Amino acid sequence: MMNQRGIVVLIALVAMLALAYAGMALMRSVDAATAITGNVGLAQNATLGADAAIEHAVSALFERRAVGDFASDNVSESYYASRQPLEDRRGVPYTLQQLANYPSDARVADGGEGNTVRYVVERMCTAAGAATPDTCILTPAIDAATAGTIASPEPAPVPLFRQTIRVDGPAGAAMFAQAWLADATGRRRLSWRILAE
């Protein structure tokens, strides 16, 4: 009888230990789910900041013409007339790779929800100056081909622009995105994507 009581106590202790481990695992699972949910929310807020940066760049480049004739750099508008050297493997320009590299007089925007947005717009050319097929990537100015005549020639192709965006958020979060832009009729925002690490 005495031996059976000792075994019951041992079984009860093992059962309590198993329940304690199960409780700790459940707490860790809840903590992980909370962290993932928070990260998804931060990523969505950062995406909104990137979208706002694209709209600002389209306005500055093509509507307000704040950068001028596109042939020379305008650092205060975060614009470069040619592709910048020292980009990383994702295509992020040197000026956005570290916050210390970003020019002090370049544009910094409030992305809301604690996000700070910085961006660089590069004309996809090998050098500043006039955009020619030899030095720049050009895209058609209109969607459909039209028959050109001497009186009404087909519009000349326009230069392609790459906008790289860095969104810094709460808790040290950073997101990079790129957009392709052109001053083409009806399609200034060609595409954009989030850059993976």
Side-chain angles (χ1 to χ4, degrees):
M1 199 68 143
M2 202 58 125
N3 289 340
Q4 289 178 351
R5 285 189 200 158
I7 291 176
V8 169
V9 171
L10 183 61
I11 291 173
L13 285 174
V14 170
M16 286 180 58
L17 187 61
L19 287 172
Y21 278 127
M24 287 190 303
L26 181 61
M27 285 176 39
R28 292 186 121 198
S29 175
V30 169
D31 288 346
T34 303
I36 290 170
T37 303
N39 288 342
V40 169
L42 290 174
Q44 287 175 339
N45 288 336
T47 302
L48 293 175
D51 195 38
I54 293 169
E55 294 307 313
H56 185 273
V58 166
S59 172
L61 289 169
F62 310 127
E63 294 165 6
R64 294 184 291 121
R65 301 285 181 184
V67 300
D69 64 357
F70 303 130
S72 57
D73 296 348
N74 185 336
V75 177
S76 66
E77 288 293 330
S78 302
Y79 172 77
Y80 296 91
S82 61
R83 190 169 176 180
Q84 298 299 290
L86 303 175
E87 64 185 40
D88 69 9
R89 60 181 169 73
R90 297 172 296 167
V92 175
Y94 175 77
T95 55
L96 289 177
Q97 292 170 17
Q98 301 291 325
L99 292 178
N101 300 344
Y102 198 68
S104 60
D105 59 339
R107 179 165 302 282
V108 177
D110 178 11
E113 302 292 330
N115 292 308
T116 304
V117 181
R118 294 168 178 82
Y119 68 82
V120 169
V121 177
E122 300 165 284
R123 187 176 64 160
M124 298 309 290
C125 297
T126 56
T132 67
D134 294 332
T135 60
C136 298
I137 299 174
L138 302 176
T139 186
I142 55 175
D143 282 333
T146 59
T149 64
I150 293 175
S152 177
E154 184 174 325
V158 294
L160 189 63
F161 299 88
R162 180 178 73 176
Q163 179 186 20
T164 307
I165 305 155
R166 177 184 178 136
V167 181
D168 293 290
M175 182 200 77
F176 293 91
Q178 277 185 339
W180 294 92
L181 310 171
D183 195 11
T185 304
R187 57 181 186 94
R188 290 180 167 163
R189 299 153 199 85
L190 304 179
S191 68
W192 78 280
R193 66 189 176 115
I194 293 175
L195 300 177
E197 285 293 328

